[in-house]
């Protein structure tokens, strides 16, 4: 969400996420309905906040997601891949 506007294009939302360090915006985007956007938000949140600070939240996303769902796979992968 940028200046009161949410872009419908996931590619635009992902591009914005990679450029922000706003933890509140990243945390909100981590629950996006689009698994790719949510994964990008989690990955960036891990980069901004650190692995230790994001472990519990990332684990909750993975645990709450349906078995074999795209969000479960992408959220786990995002946390593991973030540096």
């Amino acid at each position: 969400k940028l200046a009161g506007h949410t872009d419908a294009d996931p590619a635009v939302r992902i591009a914005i996420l990679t450029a922000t360090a706003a933890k509140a915006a990243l945390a909100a985007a981590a629950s996006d309905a689009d698994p790719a956007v949510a994964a990008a938000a989690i990955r960036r949140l891990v980069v901004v906040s650190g692995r230790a600070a994001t472990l519990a939240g990332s684990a909750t996303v993975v645990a709450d997601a349906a078995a074999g769902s795209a969000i479960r796979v992408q959220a786990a992968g995002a946390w593991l891949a973030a540096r």
Side-chain angles (χ1 to χ4, degrees), residues 16-72:
I16 292 169
L17 290 172
T18 62
T20 188
K23 292 179 184 178
L26 293 168
S31 62
D32 195 277
D34 186 304
V37 174
I42 292 168
R43 189 168 32 258
R44 182 68 179 149
L45 191 57
V46 173
V47 169
V48 171
S49 301
R51 283 180 172 249
T54 57
L55 177 58
S58 296
T60 299
V61 170
V62 171
D64 290 347
S69 67
I71 188 60
R72 177 177 264 190

